[in-house]
């Protein structure tokens, strides 16, 4: 699936909202978040799963076509007893995107894709098994991009991470590498638990950008603008990207040099990604 076919393919900010709080759906969409994740998993108690799906079903007709393109439904995990009903809901609504937590195999993703042929899928890597099977998951059908569930992954691996999550650097690199090898959109980094520590939120987002992530999950509206600013290309980066695209057009896709550097397809793709993040045509 080409990430340029969906507005969230190169988006940088994804805000969670509990499915049990339908009064927050519109507020989340009115925020500056690129994507809004309606959460059926962690934010919903077991006894409320059915009513949470009903809340989404009831609210869905009120969304505009443009809003629906920005909405992502996070199902329960494939191993749970709630997963099948979640997929039926996504199928019924013809939702644009599904976030699958604790993704662990190609069969899980391909199974969902078979049921939901029109839905982009974001597998969430949150377990040792998922990390071990990164490449097959990234190459599964209809995968738009990967997402890191950093808190759950720490717990599954028995880690006690420092504030910078230094111990997860290798996992983050593996997710970025697997995404590039599968030629899907850059992955989405995990959450920052603090909602008030501006320095921590900004540092986490800037680290994610440096490492090759294309976005970050947000748990509170206050985090969104900080993350968006961190991922936004600088004026120099935008200028470079525009000159790369112009040089590529002038050469009609042939080899060309710019500032002493050979411009090939990966460089053009990086320039396109930079412009897409900034919302430039």
């Amino acid at each position: 699936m080409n990430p340029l076919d969906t507005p969230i393919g190169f988006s940088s900010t994804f805000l969670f909202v509990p499915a049990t709080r339908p009064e927050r759906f519109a507020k989340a969409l009115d925020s500056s978040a690129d994507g809004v994740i309606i959460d059926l998993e962690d934010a919903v108690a077991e006894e409320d799963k059915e009513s949470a799906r009903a809340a989404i079903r009831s609210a869905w007709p009120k969304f505009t076509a443009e809003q629906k393109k920005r909405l992502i439904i996070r199902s329960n995990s494939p191993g749970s007893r709630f997963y099948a009903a979640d997929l039926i809901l996504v199928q019924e609504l013809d939702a644009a995107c599904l976030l699958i937590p604790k993704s662990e195999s190609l069969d899980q993703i391909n199974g969902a894709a078979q049921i939901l042929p029109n839905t982009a899928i974001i597998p969430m890597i949150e377990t040792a098994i998922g990390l071990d099977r990164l490449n097959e998951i990234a190459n599964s059908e209809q995968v738009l991009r990967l997402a890191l569930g950093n808190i759950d992954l720490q717990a599954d691996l028995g880690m006690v991470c420092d504030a910078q999550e230094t111990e997860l650097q290798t996992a983050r690199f593996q997710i970025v590498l697997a995404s590039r090898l599968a030629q899907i959109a850059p992955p989405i980094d995990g959450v920052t638990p603090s909602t008030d520590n501006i320095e921590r939120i900004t540092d986490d987002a800037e680290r994610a950008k440096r490492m090759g992530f294309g976005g970050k999950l947000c748990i509170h509206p206050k985090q969104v603008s900080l993350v968006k600013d961190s991922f936004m290309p600088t004026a120099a980066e935008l200028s470079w990207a525009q000159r790369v695209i112009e040089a590529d057009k002038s050469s009609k896709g042939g080899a060309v040099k710019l500032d002493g550097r050979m411009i090939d397809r990966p460089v053009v793709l990086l320039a396109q990604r930079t412009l897409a993040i900034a919302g430039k045509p």
Side-chain angles (χ1 to χ4, degrees):
M1 178 171 293
N2 185 344
L4 295 177
D5 291 340
T6 170
I8 58 174
F10 280 129
S11 295
S12 62
T13 51
F14 298 85
L15 177 62
F16 280 107
V17 59
T20 49
R21 300 299 299 270
E23 73 278 6
R24 294 185 184 177
F25 295 171
K27 292 179 181 178
L29 285 165
D30 288 340
S31 74
S32 60
D34 301 308
V36 171
I37 304 170
I38 301 180
D39 188 15
L40 283 165
E41 193 208 17
D42 287 344
V44 179
E46 289 195 6
E47 62 269 21
D48 295 328
K49 300 292 187 182
E50 186 173 345
S51 61
R53 285 190 289 270
I56 298 174
R57 189 177 286 108
S58 175
W60 202 259
K62 303 171 188 175
F63 300 133
T64 67
E66 286 304 308
Q67 287 176 327
K68 288 178 181 177
K69 291 179 181 179
R70 294 170 53 212
L71 288 171
I72 302 162
I73 294 178
R74 175 160 81 162
S75 68
N76 288 277
S77 64
S80 74
R81 58 190 175 92
F82 309 107
Y83 182 61
D86 292 344
L87 292 189
I88 291 171
L89 173 67
V90 174
Q91 181 185 51
E92 176 187 330
L93 302 178
D94 195 25
C97 190
L98 169 67
L99 178 67
I100 303 180
K102 298 176 179 62
S103 296
E104 293 186 334
S105 74
L106 177 146
D107 288 343
Q108 287 176 349
I109 307 305
N110 286 355
Q114 190 170 22
I115 296 170
L116 308 167
N118 300 317
T119 300
I121 297 174
I122 301 178
M124 205 163 182
I125 306 303
E126 302 184 271
T127 66
I129 294 175
L131 192 63
D132 185 55
R133 297 175 179 171
L134 264 179
N135 290 329
E136 70 171 67
I137 292 171
N139 283 282
S140 301
E141 295 178 18
Q142 294 170 214
V143 170
L144 179 65
R145 55 202 302 188
L146 302 175
L148 170 64
N150 54 318
I151 305 300
D152 283 81
L153 184 59
Q154 290 177 54
D156 192 56
L157 293 173
M159 286 182 166
V160 181
C161 291
D162 61 19
Q164 294 76 31
E165 295 187 341
T166 306
E167 295 78 6
L168 283 181
Q169 291 292 83
T170 300
R172 284 188 161 95
F173 172 76
Q174 288 178 292
I175 290 172
V176 171
L177 178 62
S179 299
R180 183 67 191 94
L181 291 175
Q183 299 184 41
I184 56 177
I188 305 166
D189 201 5
V191 302
T192 297
S194 173
T195 60
D196 298 315
N197 188 332
I198 294 175
E199 183 178 0
R200 177 78 273 136
I201 297 165
T202 300
D203 286 350
D204 286 354
E206 290 178 350
R207 176 198 59 206
K209 179 183 177 181
R210 291 194 306 271
M211 290 199 70
F213 283 84
K216 181 172 172 58
L217 300 171
C218 301
I219 58 173
H220 193 280
K222 290 191 294 186
Q223 295 180 331
V224 173
S225 61
L226 297 172
V227 172
K228 188 179 288 286
D229 289 345
S230 297
F231 275 93
M232 191 60 64
T234 64
E237 289 170 336
L238 285 175
S239 175
W240 170 83
Q242 289 166 339
R243 290 191 299 119
V244 167
I245 298 302
E246 290 169 4
D248 182 60
K249 286 181 179 178
S250 298
S251 69
K252 297 182 179 179
V256 62
K257 276 190 176 183
L258 178 66
D259 299 336
R261 180 182 178 183
M262 184 64 67
I263 303 301
D264 55 9
R265 189 60 183 160
V267 175
V268 173
L269 289 174
L270 178 59
Q272 289 175 337
R273 169 188 168 186
T274 300
L275 294 174
I277 291 172
K280 303 289 185 180

